[in-house]
Amino acid sequence: MNVLTDLPGALRGIRVLDYTTAWAGPRLTTYLAEMGAEVIHVESIQYLDTHRGWSKWAWGASGNMPNNDPGRRPWERNSQYNEFNKNKLGITLNLADPDGVALFKELVKISDVVVDNYKAGTTARFGVDYDTLRKIRPDIIQVSLPAFGSTGPYRDYTAWGNQVMALCGQGLLLNYEGEEEPEPGGTYADPLAAITGAFVVVAALFHRRRTGQGQYIELALSEVSPPLLPEAFAEYTMNGRQPLPRGNSVPEAVPWNVYPCQGEDAWIAICCRTDAEALRLFEMMGRRDFLERFATIPARLAARAEIDAAVAAWTAPQEKYQLADRLQAAGIPAEAAAQYAEVLVDPQLQARGFFVELDHPECGVYPHPLQAVRLSKTPPIDYRAAPTYGQHNAEVLGGLLGVSQERLEELAAKQVIGTEPLEDEERRRRDRAWGVS
């Protein structure tokens, strides 16, 4: 049973030591926390988490803070950090200091899973790699998420999600049809790795329960996207054609796109997969001349531009939600493209209790989305805002490990633990010492 967070979730009794940063790793462990695991998020005051802020100059520039105000403690106010780390306990440890490593290893003794997402070799440099940790707890499960894996010519590369997408060829698919420049935006590998990682942690826990064996899991971000793009690889290997961007359309159906509606930046998605759906749409549009000409998919594919233009002209003066209701009533798959303000008050999401309000001491009360899954006996839990810097040092280090208050004060004076990041100049000096540019 967890000592500090005894939650009624499916993973009740599982403790996760979460030594992650940025997106993929923190989101992975948040999934586990929402299922009832006790997740202890470990940061250092020497190296600021990416989503707490790149530097003082970036604080407030991202637009991800309440009222765009960095406030007195900007590292506590970034919405991405607070979303990716909710439901966790938060402590600080300097793993470049032997005292910090020693405390980390004490926590490993009473944990089930360790998760990191740093460049290959980082955990070994700190002395917290799997070969070391399994000597401390033989059945420990450790998950590492390096960008390109721990082997191969790119193992030492520093990377962000955009670069990983570029490597996989996914960036070439993200644009409108006819526009050749790749769209580098998006870091889809991060959430994909988080979801995949949460799944494999549960698989490894099941294996340990049956055999008593822990194991090491490596999950390279560069390898989570290609299995989800089989049609792109098949297009080249089977037909010798470079897959091209298609915007919101698909190659096998027309009409299938996002079309303008009444008002500013108002759109509706309409997706007609069958002949019957397309013909019902043409009837509603009053385009009886289309019924015979475009009765079949080959005929519609050959006239994609003409049909899309006609549908867009028909949708443009109409209100998107009313139009979506009419189309749905006629059995045509359609939905209004919602602005974020509309998503928050969407009746379907509200009826399912999808958003919960969490009160963060530096940000106030804001809604947060739940997981999509609904377990009938152990539903996901969203009960605690993300921790502030070192918020639970006393509870975890003192309460779980028995470190005395006097010793905690010594560790704070030595900057092994703390509740605020070091000043930039000092942090940059340590970054250089660690080889971080």
Side-chain angles (χ1 to χ4, degrees), residues 7 25 49 111 119 129 137 151 161 170 237 251 311 349 367 390 414 421:
L7 303 175
D49 184 290
S111 296
K119 188 166 68 175
D129 56 295
R137 175 156 180 168
T151 58
Q170 192 174 2
T237 57
V311 175
L349 296 175
K414 194 181 172 185

Side-chain angles (χ1 to χ4, degrees), residues 323-346:
L323 177 57
D325 288 343
R326 288 176 55 210
L327 290 168
Q328 286 286 352
I332 298 170
E335 189 53 71
Q339 304 277 353
Y340 278 96
E342 296 166 330
V343 174
L344 289 167
V345 297
D346 184 274

Side-chain angles (χ1 to χ4, degrees), residues 420-436:
E420 291 188 0
L422 297 178
E423 290 297 314
D424 273 5
E425 185 177 347
E426 174 65 7
R427 186 151 47 82
R428 285 199 296 272
R429 186 189 68 76
R430 290 174 184 270
D431 283 355
R432 288 194 295 272
W434 293 356
V436 178

Side-chain angles (χ1 to χ4, degrees), residues 16-228:
V16 179
L17 199 51
D18 166 23
Y19 178 48
T20 65
T21 186
W23 186 343
R27 195 66 188 89
L28 186 164
T29 51
T30 294
Y31 285 131
L32 303 178
E34 288 170 339
M35 291 298 169
E38 182 175 87
V39 177
I40 301 173
H41 184 53
V42 183
E43 303 176 83
S44 79
I45 60 173
Q46 287 76 18
Y47 190 71
L48 201 63
D49 184 290
T50 299
H51 285 143
R52 283 195 182 277
W54 298 87
S55 70
K56 281 186 176 178
W57 299 280
W59 285 333
S62 66
N64 288 330
M65 296 184 177
N67 302 316
N68 291 321
D69 179 8
R72 190 175 57 87
R73 296 168 62 87
W75 54 86
E76 307 287 14
R77 291 170 61 82
N78 187 285
S79 61
Q80 287 175 290
Y81 178 88
N82 290 334
E83 177 59 33
F84 294 158
N85 291 285
K86 60 189 182 184
N87 287 358
K88 301 179 184 178
L89 302 168
I91 68 169
T92 50
L93 286 177
N94 179 11
L95 296 188
D97 187 289
D99 285 339
V101 175
L103 289 167
F104 188 89
K105 290 179 178 177
E106 288 299 311
L107 287 170
V108 170
K109 290 179 182 176
I110 56 172
S111 296
D112 301 283
V113 180
V114 176
V115 183
D116 71 83
N117 67 327
Y118 290 90
K119 188 166 68 175
T122 301
T123 55
R125 185 153 50 90
F126 287 139
V128 294
D129 56 295
Y130 178 64
D131 287 340
T132 301
L133 298 188
R134 69 175 176 173
K135 294 174 183 174
I136 299 169
R137 175 156 180 168
D139 65 348
I140 194 73
I141 295 165
Q142 184 166 6
V143 186
S144 296
L145 298 95
F148 298 110
S150 61
T151 58
Y154 303 160
R155 69 179 298 275
D156 294 324
Y157 280 13
T158 299
W160 298 98
N162 305 70
Q163 295 156 260
V164 172
M165 285 184 59
L167 172 75
C168 302
Q170 192 174 2
L172 292 172
L173 304 177
L174 298 178
N175 214 327
Y176 291 104
E177 188 173 2
E179 295 183 354
E180 296 181 353
E181 264 192 41
E183 169 57 61
T187 56
Y188 298 113
D190 285 272
L192 290 175
I195 296 167
T196 307
F199 163 71
V200 297
V201 164
V202 174
L205 286 169
F206 181 71
H207 174 77
R208 190 182 72 169
R209 184 174 181 179
R210 288 191 296 112
T211 67
Q213 297 175 337
Q215 59 184 305
Y216 178 67
I217 301 164
E218 182 176 291
L219 181 56
L221 267 66
S222 59
E223 295 169 3
V224 294
S225 292
L228 300 178

